[in-house]
Each structure stands twice: as structure tokens, then as C-alpha cells.
Amino acid sequence: MWTNKQIIEHRLACEILNKIKDSTFTFIRRNEDKGITEYQVQKFILGQFEKYNVENKIDAPIVAFNKDAAIPHYFPKKKSKKLKKNTLILIDLWAKLRNEKAPYSDITWMAYYGKVPEEVERAFGVIIEARDACLYFVREN
């Protein structure tokens, strides 16, 4: 069971990860025409961890384009996929405050660079319905 301090630390880590997520998508948008790679986005996120004084002692954040997003725990190498039109983007971030007993916060976001195909839109709709059903179940029970 978490202490009150850990609950506060978790909420703060969540807020920080949301800021990092937002700045990451801004970074991607600003560099979309420069052939930015999965690896470069991952390095940007790690720089944000330093900026916001959070840490991840487990693994580097996941940044995956297209088919790489289907690989569990995919980690890009220096020579990784470049962003181009019609690219599915996944970022998975987890970090905690730099306190030994602070709990981790973890968020996963997906985006699409280009016109979203109907197949992707339908799959996303199914995912949203499943998420909402789970949240309803948790709230009711």
C-alpha cells in the first residue's frame, strides 16, 4: 500500500510525464520534415527526463513507428526508422521522481502522422470502447 507521500509523488510524476509527452509530440511536429528517427525521439525524451528531474531505472522509453509499434518492449537503435507521411507513432514513457521509494508513473500514447486510414480508425474505436468498458467496470465495482 502506498503512503500519502507516495500518492503525491505518483500524481506529480504523472503530471511531469504528461508534460514530457506533450513536448515530445511538439518536437516530432517541429522536425517532421527533417526525417526524424525513432532513436532521436527517444533521446529527446531522455533529455526531458533530465530537465524534469525524473528517472527510469528499468529501460529507456519506447518510441516506435509503424510495425515496430507491434513489438513488445521495442527499443530503437541508432539506425532506426525515419518518420514519413502515413506513419503510426507509439511512445511509451515510465518514470518516477528521484526518490528511492517513489512509485513509477507510466503512460502510452499513439498518434498518426498523415491521413488516418479507415482500418486504423476502426481499430482505435474498438480500443476506446474497451478502455471505456474497463473504466466503467472499475468505477462500478
Side-chain angles (χ1 to χ4, degrees), residues 4-67:
N4 285 337
K5 181 181 178 189
Q6 287 173 310
I7 292 169
I8 291 167
E9 290 172 331
H10 183 257
R11 287 182 176 153
L12 181 55
C14 290
E15 289 174 19
I16 291 169
L17 282 185
N18 270 309
K19 287 179 186 178
I20 293 172
K21 177 261 304 172
D22 291 344
S23 64
T24 300
F25 281 115
T26 298
F27 173 75
I28 292 170
R29 259 187 250 100
R30 288 186 179 151
N31 293 282
E32 64 191 21
D33 59 345
K34 297 176 184 165
I36 192 165
T37 67
E38 296 164 321
Y39 185 78
Q40 289 170 315
V41 176
Q42 183 189 60
K43 291 302 173 199
F44 174 83
I45 293 168
L46 290 171
Q48 293 293 293
F49 283 6
E50 290 299 317
K51 175 182 175 182
Y52 287 101
N53 200 29
V54 294
E55 64 184 0
N56 177 335
K57 293 182 176 182
I58 301 168
D59 274 317
I62 297 171
V63 177
F65 297 164
N66 289 329
K67 290 181 181 180

Side-chain angles (χ1 to χ4, degrees), residues 58-59 68 91 128:
I58 301 168
D59 274 317
D68 291 344
I91 62 169
I128 295 299

Side-chain angles (χ1 to χ4, degrees), residues 47-135:
Q48 293 293 293
F49 283 6
E50 290 299 317
K51 175 182 175 182
Y52 287 101
N53 200 29
V54 294
E55 64 184 0
N56 177 335
K57 293 182 176 182
I58 301 168
D59 274 317
I62 297 171
V63 177
F65 297 164
N66 289 329
K67 290 181 181 180
D68 291 344
I71 301 170
H73 300 283
Y74 169 81
F75 300 103
K77 307 268 187 271
K78 279 189 180 183
K79 283 192 144 199
S80 59
K81 284 194 174 69
K82 290 184 179 184
L83 181 69
K84 51 189 172 186
K85 282 286 185 190
N86 302 316
T87 296
L88 181 70
I89 303 167
L90 174 135
I91 62 169
D92 189 2
L93 315 171
W94 55 95
K96 66 185 196 73
L97 302 182
R98 292 181 189 270
N99 170 352
E100 193 59 39
K101 293 186 179 184
Y104 275 87
S105 175
D106 184 332
I107 60 172
T108 303
W109 277 74
M110 296 191 79
Y112 197 86
Y113 175 57
K115 181 169 175 13
V116 180
E118 285 183 28
E119 178 184 347
V120 172
E121 202 167 322
R122 274 195 307 275
F124 187 71
V126 170
I127 292 166
I128 295 299
E129 286 178 23
R131 179 208 60 197
D132 291 349
C134 289
L135 289 172

